[in-house]
């Protein structure tokens, strides 16, 4: 009897344990399914990528007309030269860094000279002059000589061929993230600093054609403003602009009290010579932002570092005069407000993304290209909200952490390799499987692309997390 009773107790306990495990699995499955909001896995809330983008039909027609009328000789060679110049561009070296470099080099040369002429009589004045000449020659050879581009009408047309479609694709992709994640955002006013050909205005109009009522485009180059107006009118001065209430200026509005719902600066911070200039401009643009500030640069190491400087300026530095007390909050792409983990790598790698687009289809051009760019979006969200749980997109507000995919997803048989930047400020290489992470998580990861957000897995083991040459300092969640 006692043995039968003991066996019954063991059976009851095991039954209870099995039910508890099944109940936990059911709850976990429900949590995973909740964030989908009834959408298929390929359209989960973290998907922000777009298919190959094409310029608006009227913009493309106007651009082709302007280019045809310009009749610029050796167009392809000039376009290639400008493309290479912009892509390889670096920041100007700061005066303090240049002086320190000269001091270090001079100290090294004096040390070598002292060793070489030890015990000999040397004219120090003559030796000093030689060392100074060597320092100047070495600095000329090794220092990057930054120069500012000057845009006349011809250079503006060359820039149009080289950058119109790619620049539009990058800005349109960045704005799409706001449009998808903050469905209630309907900007009425728009400011573009360094507007160039008005690309950001066209991209903003494509996203919010019904709400925008005032668009201010600021560019210091008069010929670029003229070209932008020609594009807006379809290259016909007698025609009405494709969309109205667009105002072109060469200077920013002076009063700090005037704010805009959406402020964009694309490929412009890299045109400023010094860090102090960039910091002043970033603070000025932020003062004029009431909703979102969008900054876009080339997807190079320099472009990424320029954006991280701007991001850290707004997060960590205090303005001299504060006109809007709402603090800056990172909206995208970073899932955190800590130091960028890619900057901590040696050598550092840029955090960039890509967008495929259709070119202008001019002679000598391929029909499709991919724009590689870096971007950062900051918002005035009142009290700082976490970018991974902003409370804007219902799917992203499901109690899950969301990480950003920073490299192409590698789908293999029954497992997926995901390299991501996580909310704890660390880079991770996670191998997602349906057995360990659940069917929904696995299907979402498999359907995602570089630049999308994916739910962060919290039940991973040592076998799930790996480090490689791109993702160092890996920690488990």
């Amino acid at each position: 009897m006692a043995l039968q009773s003991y066996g019954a107790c063991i059976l009851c306990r095991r039954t209870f344990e099995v039910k508890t495990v099944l109940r936990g699995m059911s709850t976990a499955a429900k949590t995973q399914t909740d964030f989908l909001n009834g959408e298929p896995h390929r359209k989960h809330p973290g998907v922000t990528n777009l298919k190959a983008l094409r310029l608006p039909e009227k913009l493309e027609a106007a651009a082709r007309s302007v280019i045809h009328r310009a009749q610029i000789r050796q167009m392809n060679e000039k376009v290639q030269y400008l493309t290479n110049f912009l892509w390889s561009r670096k920041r100007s070296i700061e005066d303090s860094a240049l002086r320190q470099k000269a001091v270090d080099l001079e100290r090294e040369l004096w040390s070598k000279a002292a060793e070489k002429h030890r015990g000999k009589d040397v004219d120090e004045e003559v030796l000093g002059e030689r060392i100074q000449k060597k320092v100047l020659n070495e600095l000329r050879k090794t220092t990057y000589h930054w120069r500012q581009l000057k845009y006349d009408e011809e250079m503006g047309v060359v820039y149009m061929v080289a950058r119109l479609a790619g620049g539009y694709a990058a800005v349109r992709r960045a704005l799409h993230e706001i449009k998808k994640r903050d469905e209630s955002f309907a900007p009425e006013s728009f400011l573009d600093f360094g507007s160039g050909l008005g690309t950001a205005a066209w991209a903003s109009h494509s996203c919010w054609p019904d709400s925008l009522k005032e668009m201010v485009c600021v560019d210091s180059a008069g010929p670029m403003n003229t070209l932008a107006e020609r594009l807006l009118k379809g290259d016909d001065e007698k025609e009405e602009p494709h969309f109205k209430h667009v105002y072109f200026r060469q200077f920013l509005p002076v009063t700090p009290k005037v704010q805009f719902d959406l402020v964009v600066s694309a490929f412009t911070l890299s045109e400023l010579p010094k860090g102090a200039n960039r910091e002043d401009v970033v603070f000025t643009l932020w003062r004029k932002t009431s909703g979102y500030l969008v900054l876009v640069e080339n997807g190079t190491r320099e472009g990424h570092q320029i954006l991280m400087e701007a991001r850290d300026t707004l997060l960590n530095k205090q303005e001299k005069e504060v006109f809007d007390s709402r603090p800056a909050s990172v909206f995208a792409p970073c899932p955190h407000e800590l130091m960028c983990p890619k900057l901590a790598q040696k050598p550092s790698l840029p955090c960039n993304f890509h967008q495929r687009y259709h070119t202008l289809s001019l002679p000598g051009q391929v029909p499709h290209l991919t724009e590689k760019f870096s971007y950062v979006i900051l918002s005035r969200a009142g009290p700082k909200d976490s970018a991974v749980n902003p409370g804007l997109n219902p799917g992203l507000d499901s109690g899950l952490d969301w990480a950003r995919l920073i490299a192409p997803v590698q789908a293999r048989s029954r497992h997926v390799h995901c390299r991501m930047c996580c909310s704890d400020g660390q880079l991770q290489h996670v191998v997602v499987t349906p057995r360990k992470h659940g069917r929904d998580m696995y299907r979402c990861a498999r359907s995602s692309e570089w630049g999308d957000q994916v739910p962060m897995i919290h039940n991973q083991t040592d076998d799930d997390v790996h480090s490689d040459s791109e993702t160092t300092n890996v920690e488990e969640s």
Side-chain angles (χ1 to χ4, degrees):
M1 256 331 254
L3 185 60
Q4 291 179 352
S5 177
Y6 176 76
C9 289
I10 293 293
L11 181 61
C12 289
R13 184 168 26 172
R14 288 183 177 175
T15 303
F16 174 77
E17 290 174 352
V18 170
K19 288 182 177 180
T20 302
V21 171
L22 290 175
R23 191 180 300 114
M25 292 175 61
S26 176
T27 303
K30 184 178 186 299
T31 302
Q32 291 185 19
T33 306
D34 284 346
F35 74 85
L36 290 171
N37 294 322
E39 293 288 343
H41 296 93
R42 68 180 182 279
K43 295 182 179 180
H44 68 81
V47 173
T48 51
N49 270 291
L50 294 168
K51 295 180 180 179
L53 286 171
R54 188 184 296 276
L55 287 171
E57 186 177 343
K58 293 187 177 181
L59 174 58
E60 183 170 359
R64 291 169 65 88
S65 175
V66 170
I67 294 166
H68 178 72
R69 288 190 184 188
Q71 294 293 318
I72 296 176
R73 295 181 179 180
Q74 297 180 325
M75 173 68 86
N76 290 339
E77 290 80 359
K78 292 177 179 179
V79 167
Q80 189 61 51
Y81 173 81
L82 180 61
T83 301
N84 294 340
F85 176 83
L86 294 174
W87 187 254
S88 61
R89 197 169 203 189
K90 295 179 173 58
R91 291 165 292 174
S92 172
I93 186 170
E94 300 293 330
D95 293 337
S96 58
L98 186 60
R99 283 194 296 269
Q100 186 60 50
K101 186 176 180 180
V103 169
D104 293 341
L105 184 57
E106 186 176 4
R107 186 182 295 116
E108 181 184 348
L109 291 175
W110 271 111
S111 177
K112 289 181 179 179
E115 184 70 24
K116 180 178 179 181
H117 300 288
R118 181 178 295 175
K120 300 178 182 179
D121 291 332
V122 179
D123 188 338
E124 292 191 2
E125 186 175 349
V126 174
L127 182 59
E129 290 178 357
R130 291 177 181 173
I131 288 177
Q132 286 184 358
K133 287 182 180 179
K134 286 184 178 180
V135 169
L136 290 175
N137 287 334
E138 188 66 23
L139 290 178
R140 289 192 189 99
K141 292 177 183 178
T142 59
T143 302
Y144 177 75
H145 300 286
W146 189 91
R147 65 184 179 90
Q148 190 163 11
L149 283 174
K150 294 182 179 180
Y151 289 96
D152 54 15
E153 185 175 350
E154 179 178 305
M155 179 63 80
V157 175
V158 173
Y159 184 85
M160 186 185 303
V161 177
R163 297 295 303 134
L164 181 66
Y168 174 87
V171 177
R172 181 73 172 78
R173 163 64 180 81
L175 296 179
H176 174 70
E177 182 137 2
I178 301 176
K179 182 176 176 62
K180 177 169 183 179
R181 289 176 52 191
D182 189 356
E183 297 177 357
S184 64
F185 182 65
E188 295 185 0
S189 56
F190 164 84
L191 171 66
D192 181 13
F193 177 72
S195 54
L197 300 169
T199 309
W202 285 86
S204 301
H205 185 266
S206 297
C207 291
W208 299 282
D210 300 323
S211 65
L212 284 169
K213 297 178 181 177
E214 179 189 17
M215 308 180 79
V216 178
C217 298
V218 180
D219 198 292
S220 59
M224 293 296 274
N225 288 333
T226 301
L227 279 173
E229 287 190 87
R230 285 178 63 183
L231 292 175
L232 200 59
K233 293 183 178 182
D235 196 26
D236 189 343
E237 292 183 358
K238 298 179 181 179
E239 291 293 325
E240 289 292 319
H242 176 57
F243 43 93
K244 298 181 179 180
H245 308 297
V246 182
Y247 307 97
F248 294 93
R249 301 283 186 269
Q250 286 187 271
F251 304 97
L252 282 167
V254 177
T255 172
K257 296 182 180 179
V258 175
Q259 288 188 315
F260 299 83
D261 298 331
L262 177 64
V263 178
V264 176
S265 180
F267 310 104
T268 303
L269 294 180
S270 55
E271 295 291 328
L272 301 175
K274 298 293 182 180
N277 302 125
R278 293 191 291 271
E279 184 174 297
D280 289 342
V281 165
V282 167
F283 272 134
T284 300
L285 295 178
W286 182 244
R287 283 196 295 270
K288 298 193 174 300
T289 302
S290 65
Y292 290 98
L293 171 61
V294 181
L295 304 175
V296 183
E297 290 293 337
N298 286 331
T300 60
R301 183 183 293 130
E302 290 291 317
H304 172 234
Q305 290 179 351
I306 286 173
L307 292 181
M308 291 301 99
E309 285 178 1
R311 171 187 180 271
D312 293 342
T313 293
L314 296 180
L315 290 178
N316 303 322
K317 293 187 178 181
Q318 184 67 37
E319 296 181 76
K320 294 179 181 178
E321 294 183 69
V322 179
F323 296 93
D324 189 332
S325 59
R326 293 176 296 166
S329 175
V330 177
F331 180 80
C334 316
H336 57 83
E337 294 183 355
L338 304 170
M339 176 184 174
C340 176
K342 285 219 166 188
L343 294 180
Q345 295 179 331
K346 299 297 180 184
S348 64
L349 296 172
C351 182
N352 53 28
F353 305 92
H354 70 266
Q355 176 60 53
R356 192 166 173 77
Y357 65 93
H358 297 268
T359 64
L360 283 169
S361 301
L362 297 171
Q365 283 195 344
V366 295
H368 299 89
L369 286 173
T370 299
E371 177 74 6
K372 189 173 286 188
F373 65 98
S374 296
Y375 73 107
V376 64
I377 303 175
L378 297 112
S379 67
R380 286 198 189 271
K384 284 193 177 183
D385 296 324
S386 172
V388 298
N389 190 14
L392 299 173
N393 186 317
L396 295 182
D397 195 16
S398 59
L400 294 172
D401 277 350
W402 291 76
R404 179 77 59 172
L405 290 168
I406 57 171
V409 173
Q410 296 176 319
R412 300 292 185 262
S413 176
R414 302 295 292 170
H415 68 278
V416 182
H417 291 267
C418 296
R419 292 170 175 82
M420 57 184 72
C421 183
C422 305
S423 59
D424 60 358
Q426 299 295 324
L427 302 179
Q428 290 192 0
H429 173 186
V430 181
V431 181
V432 182
T433 66
R435 181 177 64 84
K436 294 179 181 178
H437 305 109
R439 176 179 174 273
D440 289 318
M441 298 288 189
Y442 169 73
R443 293 287 297 277
C444 285
R446 199 172 184 88
S447 303
S448 299
E449 298 180 27
W450 180 9
D452 288 339
Q453 289 178 285
V454 291
M456 189 55 206
I457 315 303
H458 287 283
N459 61 336
Q460 58 202 28
T461 64
D462 292 339
D463 294 334
D464 303 323
V465 183
H466 304 270
S467 62
D468 55 21
S469 58
E470 184 176 336
T471 54
T472 58
N473 300 324
V474 175
E475 293 181 2
E476 294 184 7
S477 296

